[in-house]
Amino acid sequence: MKITLVTDGGLAATVLADLPPQVLDTDTLSEGAAAELHRLLSAAARSVAEGTEEPSSLARDAMSYSITVEEGGHASVLVQSDTTMSEEFAALLRRLRQHLARQ
């Protein structure tokens, strides 16, 4: 499974615009770490599907996060922002960033 993280907006928008997406191939992880990411992805996908909050216009400098998951010829995209992020998406984002930092 390939997971791609793209971060947009916020106060660092001009800096982030020049950075390439961060990509993690779960084949490079231990079986346990890959299983944990799969579990976190499933929970985040459910929370995103159930979410109904609209972004707040009061947080114009909020960051937005796009996580694309490619597996078996299919891709799905989860998008959240600082103002609408579910706990499940936040947990996935934290763990994904930890794995990406180790590359």
Side-chain angles (χ1 to χ4, degrees), residues 18-80:
D18 294 332
L19 296 177
Q22 295 178 285
V23 180
L24 177 68
D25 184 347
T26 59
D27 289 343
T28 64
L29 302 176
S30 70
E31 189 175 313
E36 177 192 26
L37 274 177
H38 195 281
R39 180 185 58 76
L40 290 169
L41 278 163
S42 295
R46 282 191 305 275
S47 74
V48 169
E50 294 169 358
T52 57
E53 284 189 49
E54 292 296 320
S56 170
S57 62
L58 298 176
R60 297 185 198 280
D61 63 343
M63 300 286 288
S64 65
Y65 309 92
S66 175
I67 298 175
T68 303
V69 181
E70 298 174 62
E71 184 174 35
H74 300 287
S76 58
V77 181
L78 305 175
V79 178
Q80 296 266 279

Side-chain angles (χ1 to χ4, degrees), residues 5-19:
L5 172 63
V6 176
T7 305
D8 292 310
L11 297 174
T14 56
V15 174
L16 294 173
D18 294 332
L19 296 177

